[in-house]
Amino acid sequence: MFDKIVAFFMAIINFFLGLFGLGGVGGQEYDCQTFFDMAYGTHERQVVDLFVPEGASGDLGLVLFIHGGAWIAGDKESYLSGMNYGATSLGIATASVNYRYISEDVDLLDVLDDIDAALAQIRKKGAEVGVNINRVLLTGDSAGGHLSLLYAYARKNSAPIAPVAVISNSGPTDLYDDNFYHNNALGNEAVICDLMSKACGQSFTYEARESAKQALYSVSPVSYVSADCVPTVINHGTADTIVPFSNAETLDALLTQYGVEHVLNVYEGSDHGLDKDEDAKNRADELLFGYIDRFLK
């Protein structure tokens, strides 16, 4: 069952990378300081890549890319090209992190601990090369968008590097949303419940979903919205068959209620891969570069 989900999401990931121009570059030499596979734990997936502009000194902003793949697939190498562009053309630090896939033994709160440890390792390496990496914009696609939101909201005041903004591309925001469990491209109710059980660390069936409500909300970004949340961009398609558009609408409403600076950038008619609406894609690019200029420079 999960093999089918992995294969499906690898196709989606490849589409995202083409859409945002962030595909990997095999065998390339980079015009910046590069640190590959820095270990931040003992698990094989607890590694992170870091690019730092040549000659950088003093305070430096960071973009952290978090890959998608339903929390059970994907890899940090997907973002090498985007990392290189940020470090060489925009003058910022960039990083891409692997994290432990969810399982019976690892839930999404454990993955937040992975991101904590990765950021601590990034800050340590920065200090070793003479820069103070002291602020981070988190971004990712699908599951990576979810983790970016969840971390930026839930760990804002304890993070080793302070989150200053977050951009989510088709990221889940409310894992209890009933729309997740019906007509999902990943599978039927049982498939989605199995995935969400691993995500929240509590096994449940659809009929008994109420019993896991608290656990699901504990790993849902909507649970952590407050007036203190960082500026946010939500890129989401109205025809998403994996993460329902209602997830984006719920987060948008809460951020509006609390007066948080944010943009819901709607891709009309687009599915999970944000495959339609060129105007929305152009807005997404403008928002990304605008956030980098405002919060990381």
Side-chain angles (χ1 to χ4, degrees):
M1 176 182 64
F2 276 100
D3 288 344
K4 292 182 180 179
I5 295 179
V6 170
F8 184 90
F9 261 96
M10 290 313 297
I12 290 292
I13 290 166
N14 288 334
F15 186 87
F16 265 124
L17 299 178
L19 189 68
F20 292 100
L22 300 174
V25 184
Q28 178 176 323
E29 293 186 5
Y30 301 97
D31 296 324
C32 56
Q33 301 177 75
T34 59
F35 307 95
F36 289 100
D37 293 323
M38 296 189 303
Y40 63 84
T42 59
H43 192 278
E44 64 181 0
R45 286 197 50 81
Q46 290 176 315
V47 288
V48 61
D49 296 339
L50 172 67
F51 286 12
V52 177
E54 291 286 0
S57 62
D59 293 344
L60 193 64
L62 169 76
V63 170
L64 179 66
F65 295 103
I66 306 178
H67 69 77
W71 313 291
I72 58 172
D75 190 86
K76 62 182 174 58
E77 292 184 0
S78 302
Y79 294 102
L80 287 176
S81 182
M83 290 173 63
N84 186 55
Y85 182 79
T88 59
S89 299
L90 302 180
I92 57 173
T94 55
S96 184
V97 61
N98 276 357
Y99 50 87
R100 290 170 292 170
Y101 296 142
I102 58 171
S103 65
E104 286 79 5
D105 302 315
V106 177
D107 63 29
L108 290 174
L109 294 180
D110 296 319
V111 176
L112 292 192
D113 291 340
D114 284 0
I115 298 171
D116 261 337
L119 287 174
Q121 179 60 35
I122 289 168
R123 182 147 199 172
K124 178 182 177 182
K125 177 56 71 173
E128 291 175 1
V129 299
V131 295
N132 176 33
I133 300 176
N134 63 350
R135 55 202 185 279
V136 58
L137 182 157
L138 299 101
T139 187
D141 307 313
S142 192
H146 163 270
L147 289 169
S148 296
L149 291 167
L150 186 61
Y151 188 87
Y153 295 171
R155 300 286 175 97
K156 177 178 181 289
N157 295 320
S158 61
I161 302 175
V164 292
V166 60
I167 298 177
S168 167
N169 303 312
S170 303
T173 71
D174 178 2
L175 303 192
Y176 189 71
D177 185 346
D178 194 52
N179 292 316
F180 251 122
Y181 299 83
H182 307 293
N183 303 313
N184 195 301
L186 293 182
N188 60 22
E189 293 172 359
V191 170
I192 302 305
C193 286
D194 194 19
L195 180 64
M196 296 301 186
S197 292
K198 292 178 174 63
C200 73
Q202 180 176 328
S203 181
F204 65 94
T205 62
Y206 180 75
E207 292 73 20
R209 191 166 59 93
E210 179 73 20
S211 67
K213 184 175 183 178
Q214 183 174 351
L216 288 166
Y217 274 132
S218 74
V219 291
S220 294
V222 294
S223 300
Y224 298 91
V225 174
S226 71
D228 195 40
C229 282
V230 300
T232 301
V233 174
I234 311 159
N235 295 310
H236 213 108
T238 58
D240 196 324
T241 57
I242 294 176
V243 180
F245 186 65
S246 55
N247 261 224
E249 292 177 310
T250 299
L251 180 58
D252 174 49
L254 283 169
L255 293 172
T256 299
Q257 176 185 334
Y258 282 94
V260 177
E261 177 185 340
H262 73 286
V263 176
L264 171 56
N265 184 32
V266 177
Y267 283 70
E268 292 291 346
S270 283
D271 202 340
H272 194 63
L274 303 180
D275 53 340
K276 294 181 176 65
D277 197 337
E278 191 67 21
D279 289 341
K281 187 211 179 289
N282 291 335
R283 284 194 300 272
D285 290 342
E286 291 171 2
L287 289 163
L288 170 62
F289 292 120
Y291 267 32
I292 288 173
D293 283 340
R294 287 179 58 197
F295 300 113
L296 300 183
K297 296 293 187 70

